[in-house]
Amino acid sequence: MSRIGRKPIELPRGVEVKIDGATVSVKGPKGELKRTFDSRLEIAREDGHLVVKRASDERQIRALHGLTRALIANMVTGVSAGFTRQLEIGAESVGYRAEMAGQKLVLYLGYSHPIEMTPPDGIAFAADPKTRTITVSGVDKELVGEMAARIRRQRPPEPYKGKGIRYAGESIKLKPGKAGKTGKGGK
């Protein structure tokens, strides 16, 4: 049996869960999420916890068991605490910056034009020009991660100097430059 799938999901205070067949809607202080799951899995409430059960040990159902439990747990965490993802503009990225224009995030990344990014519903951007960080926050973990990846994709860190946008805490393995440039190689 799936170790993740059989773990009960604890419901924090202020979180309401409505189960309608295979559709689960979760409402909390940060927002509301709704998702439809595979109908071969049973989602039930027991003793203040949510439990995901499966009817058979078929391979595909076993795979969906843990996935469904993890998705529901992320929904509960999202509406109660929310998710954030931080990105950094490296110190070696001279001239690169990010700023807010209302709700939009404006990126200046060495191109001939600034890049404006509008957040979808449920996502909020924050940019701190002093620490050169960008914060993406929201209730949907999948959407927060996707928006952070889209921002990073605008100028990913390059492997020689490390210029670009990276996730907070991400380390970039730098490649050595050409031997001829340092004066140590050659004849």
Side-chain angles (χ1 to χ4, degrees):
M1 185 162 217
S2 170
R3 281 190 241 165
I4 294 172
R6 67 182 169 186
K7 284 176 66 177
I9 302 165
E10 199 170 317
L11 297 174
R13 272 206 174 111
V15 175
E16 298 174 25
V17 177
K18 204 179 285 184
I19 303 167
D20 184 26
T23 303
V24 177
S25 56
V26 183
K27 189 175 183 180
K30 297 261 183 185
E32 185 175 0
L33 292 172
K34 187 176 185 178
R35 192 172 196 140
T36 303
F37 297 99
D38 195 298
S39 60
R40 296 176 287 182
L41 293 168
E42 180 189 342
I43 303 160
R45 185 184 306 207
E46 295 177 358
D47 303 327
H49 293 76
L50 287 179
V51 181
V52 180
K53 299 176 185 176
R54 63 178 189 229
S56 71
D57 280 343
E58 194 178 316
R59 185 179 177 101
Q60 189 178 19
I61 295 175
R62 283 189 321 216
L64 290 172
H65 189 207
L67 171 70
T68 302
R69 189 257 176 221
L71 290 173
I72 294 172
N74 285 340
M75 289 169 65
V76 170
T77 304
V79 298
S80 60
F83 291 102
T84 60
R85 192 72 200 235
Q86 276 205 323
L87 298 130
E88 301 171 341
I89 298 175
E92 59 284 322
S93 306
V94 178
Y96 293 6
R97 67 183 196 276
E99 58 187 40
M100 296 299 296
Q103 298 292 320
K104 291 183 180 180
L105 176 69
V106 182
L107 301 168
Y108 298 93
L109 301 173
Y111 297 120
S112 63
H113 59 283
I115 300 166
E116 286 187 3
M117 299 191 81
T118 306
D121 291 339
I123 296 293
F125 294 140
D128 186 7
K130 290 183 181 176
T131 59
R132 298 169 59 112
T133 59
I134 303 164
T135 305
V136 182
S137 57
V139 295
D140 189 352
K141 185 176 186 177
E142 188 177 344
L143 196 54
V144 168
E146 176 63 30
M147 288 309 298
R150 284 186 188 170
I151 293 170
R152 185 182 184 274
R153 204 176 303 137
Q154 298 303 318
R155 184 66 91 168
E158 55 96 18
Y160 293 101
K161 291 183 180 178
K163 290 174 68 169
I165 300 175
R166 64 183 75 167
Y167 295 115
E170 179 183 10
S171 62
I172 306 299
K173 186 174 180 184
L174 298 179
K175 294 181 178 179
K178 288 185 178 180
K181 279 202 152 196
T182 61
K184 296 178 183 175
K187 296 181 181 179

